[in-house]
Amino acid sequence: ENATLRAELFGAREGGAATTFAGAEVVRSTWSSSDNYFIINKGTRDGVTAGQGVLQNNNAIGRVVEASDRFALALPLINQSVEWSVRIGSKGPVARLVWEGGDAARAMLYDVPRSAVFAAGDSVVSSGFQGYFPAGLMVGTVGQEAPEFDGQFLNVPVQLAADFRTLRYVELATTGGRKEIQSLLSTEGAPEP
């Protein structure tokens, strides 16, 4: 029911943009290694495909990377091998979210322009650029610590919104146009994403 209501909400808010949601349950997960993952109880027979975003309580938490008949493997935000495209606030700069290991509640934003205006507690949301999630889903908030300046950009600490130690019921997002965009990027001469 939550997945159906969320799809209707996004359809109304995004002017009818085709984002659909389906419910699933996490059957196994890790949160204390560098290559964390979680497995859900839905697979290809339920319409699950690689590239779908995964949400918990309207927070972006990961993406599906592989699916079998009855199960799917997903990588969470707290996996060191994955970067995520996010935005500070609804109109702020786009940056890369990277989890550097250790604390499952903290991550770092990279490539934030020095001129960006933001404050501790400001929302960090999905940008919609990677196609896993619609834009505007909560990822976390800007941390209390001062940003680090690396010579060109700011590195900004982020408090993640989801508690990855308690994952159980999740939703899978299918963003309209994702396959078409991927086909354009995979044509000869297109830049790699």
Side-chain angles (χ1 to χ4, degrees):
E1 290 175 349
N2 285 343
T4 301
L5 290 171
R6 194 172 319 285
E8 290 177 14
L9 174 66
F10 270 90
R13 187 173 20 173
E14 303 297 324
T19 299
T20 60
F21 297 89
E25 186 174 359
V26 174
V27 296
R28 182 173 294 165
S29 68
T30 64
W31 61 85
S32 59
S33 75
S34 59
D35 297 317
N36 292 305
Y37 67 88
F38 58 96
I39 295 174
I40 59 172
N41 68 345
K42 297 288 173 81
T44 54
R45 73 179 184 182
D46 304 296
V48 177
T49 60
Q52 286 181 290
V54 186
L55 294 76
Q56 181 195 46
N57 297 328
N58 209 31
N59 299 319
I61 62 165
R63 70 177 166 98
V64 173
V65 292
E66 191 174 335
S68 66
D69 187 44
R70 296 183 305 126
F71 298 96
L73 173 68
L75 299 182
L77 300 178
I78 56 167
N79 183 302
Q80 288 182 305
S81 64
V82 185
E83 295 183 354
W84 305 87
S85 176
V86 297
R87 182 182 301 276
I88 299 176
S90 61
K91 298 182 189 223
V94 172
R96 293 181 301 124
L97 180 84
V98 177
W99 184 66
E100 298 178 329
D103 189 348
R106 313 280 297 167
M108 189 69 81
L109 289 182
Y110 289 99
D111 302 333
V112 177
R114 289 187 312 184
S115 60
V117 177
F118 58 88
D122 284 356
S123 62
V124 176
V125 298
S126 57
S127 68
F129 289 172
Q130 291 172 304
Y132 309 130
F133 305 104
L137 289 176
M138 191 68 168
V139 171
T141 56
V142 173
Q144 297 294 326
E145 304 86 352
E148 302 168 3
F149 180 57
D150 69 7
Q152 290 186 313
F153 296 99
L154 296 173
N155 302 331
V156 180
V158 173
Q159 180 73 33
L160 296 173
D163 183 352
F164 290 92
R165 296 167 295 177
T166 63
L167 293 182
R168 183 164 181 200
Y169 296 108
V170 297
E171 295 173 43
L172 303 171
T174 303
T175 305
R178 181 176 57 85
K179 289 181 182 178
E180 187 176 353
I181 290 169
Q182 290 302 322
S183 70
L184 288 171
L185 291 173
S186 65
T187 59
E188 192 172 320
E192 289 296 317

